[in-house]
Amino acid sequence: MQISEKQLAQVNDRIQALLKADSFYGKKLREAGITEVRTAEEFLKLPFSEKNDLREAYPLGLMTAPEEEIVRIHSSSGTTGTPVIIPYTQKDVDDWATMFARCYEVAGITKKDRIHITPGYGLWTAGIGFQLGCEKLGAMAIPMGPGNTDKQLEMMQSLGSTVLCSTSSYALLLTEEIEKRGIKDQIKLKKGVIGSERWSEKMRTRIAEGLGIELYDIYGLTEIYGPGIGINCEHNTGMHIWDDFIYLEIIDPKTGDPVPDGEFGEIVITTLVKEGAPLIRYRTHDLCRIIPGECPCGRHYPRIDVIQGRTDDMMKIKGVNVFPKQIEEVLAQFPEISSEYQIRISHLDGKDTMRIYVETNGHVNFDDLSHRIAEKVKSRIGFTPIVKVVEIGVLPRSMKKTARVIDERYD
Ligand code: ZN
């Protein structure tokens, strides 16, 4: 998907703003000898930006608009050291709300909906993004934030929430709680808007059927506004991306070259109109692909597939490249196991070992199931894992993104 003339002009405009502000990236561009971008070929020569670089700009090095125009900052989770701070102008906040409201509209959500928002509010962009879009659309926001499942379910019943916004793990937890308490007939949910976490088809079906709702995947990341830069439509053929605000490329994570539409690689995003902290060719490390062709809905926004994982998730085990998604697809063929699983990799006596933990109930022969799964995984990835079967409920459920792969080799 080549960059359009209009998008090129917008990128050039952002480059001029960065150079003029002499912000963190303005300096980088100047040092790289870049003064403008006029052609698609020139665009592909622009240097990438990376999360690690953004950390070096802490606290406000990314600020590209004058300080009096900055109305807010957000920060991405600093689990690995220095956080990244992203400044927003009023226009950035408004643009984000416009994109998010568009997401809700594409999902068929209207002013008459009551939107139950469970992602967290605060420094990170989740809850507040869902809220902005809801208010812009004119629907009723129920700003719950995460946690306190009793209160969530009580409010959901009293207020008749019609839309659930959450992570897939938390949606699953709520599904299980609603079933356990036998209150499904008192829940009015019709739709779920689920944050861009990698999740299996099995988990999706479990939540959709358990709650009796339609599910929509929303994409986004704090460095680029936050959630709301794309969502799937009613045809469920991938997420439409708002290319009037961002330009999205897919590159080979090893070489940095663009890959043809339809092939998997890393998502790279350029902001086209952002003022507070424009980013040029930002590497997201999300693995995905562009879906070629037109969507039956007739919308011309380009589409991307479900996020397949992180480029950093690519595991080399016994010399073989393995993606968690491959294991997930094998597990999905076993109806007797739950949608939760965990993969642990360690190094013992000079050899890599992989253990896969799955859950089932007591009516299943654990040994037989473990053999059958191990065989199927071997035929998919080329070596035999150790499969451990445990009771349903034993594996951790979390409200945040559940860590399903634990690599103990480098601890
Ligand atoms: Zn569509």
Side-chain angles (χ1 to χ4, degrees), residues 110-182:
T110 72
K111 284 180 179 200
K112 289 192 172 162
D113 277 296
R114 299 179 181 181
I115 304 184
H116 194 98
I117 303 168
T118 70
Y121 285 73
L123 273 177
W124 70 321
T125 48
I128 216 160
F130 282 95
Q131 172 102 17
L132 269 177
C134 173
E135 290 172 354
K136 178 98 183 175
L137 178 71
M140 185 199 293
I142 306 170
M144 297 299 299
N148 199 344
T149 302
D150 285 338
K151 183 88 184 164
Q152 300 272 6
L153 294 176
E154 192 188 306
M155 293 288 272
M156 206 178 268
Q157 290 173 80
S158 322
L159 287 166
S161 313
T162 58
V163 176
L164 171 67
C165 301
S166 84
T167 61
S168 55
S169 330
Y170 196 51
L172 177 64
L173 188 145
L174 289 173
T175 308
E176 290 177 342
E177 273 306 312
I178 287 167
E179 285 174 355
K180 207 187 288 172
R181 298 175 191 208

Side-chain angles (χ1 to χ4, degrees), residues 2 28 69 75 80 85 109 185 196 206 243 256 283 372:
Q2 188 163 307
K28 288 224 167 200
E69 288 175 22
S75 168
T80 49
I85 305 275
I109 295 163
D185 57 339
S196 68
R206 174 80 183 84
D243 65 348
R283 295 187 64 155
R372 285 186 292 127

Side-chain angles (χ1 to χ4, degrees), residues 106 232-238 240 295-299 301 303:
V106 167
N232 59 296
C233 70
E234 68 278 17
H235 293 279
N236 206 11
T237 57
H240 285 284
C295 182
C297 75
R299 292 182 184 91
Y301 298 109
R303 289 167 298 157

Side-chain angles (χ1 to χ4, degrees), residues 55-70:
R55 292 202 173 93
E56 281 175 44
Y58 183 86
L60 283 170
L62 295 175
M63 193 160 73
T64 300
E67 170 142 13
E68 57 270 30
E69 288 175 22
I70 301 297

Side-chain angles (χ1 to χ4, degrees), residues 345-387:
I345 304 145
S346 50
H347 197 74
L348 190 69
D349 302 328
K351 278 193 286 187
D352 290 340
T353 66
M354 178 166 82
R355 281 104 63 215
I356 303 173
Y357 292 82
V358 297
E359 294 182 334
T360 191
N361 60 45
H363 305 295
V364 172
N365 181 325
F366 279 27
D367 281 344
D368 170 63
L369 177 63
S370 130
H371 277 114
R372 285 186 292 127
I373 293 175
E375 262 177 37
K376 279 265 182 182
V377 172
K378 177 171 195 260
S379 68
R380 179 74 194 261
I381 62 172
F383 63 87
T384 313
I386 299 164
V387 177

Side-chain angles (χ1 to χ4, degrees), residues 14 81 114 183 264 374:
R14 292 303 83 209
R114 299 179 181 181
I183 52 170
F264 284 100

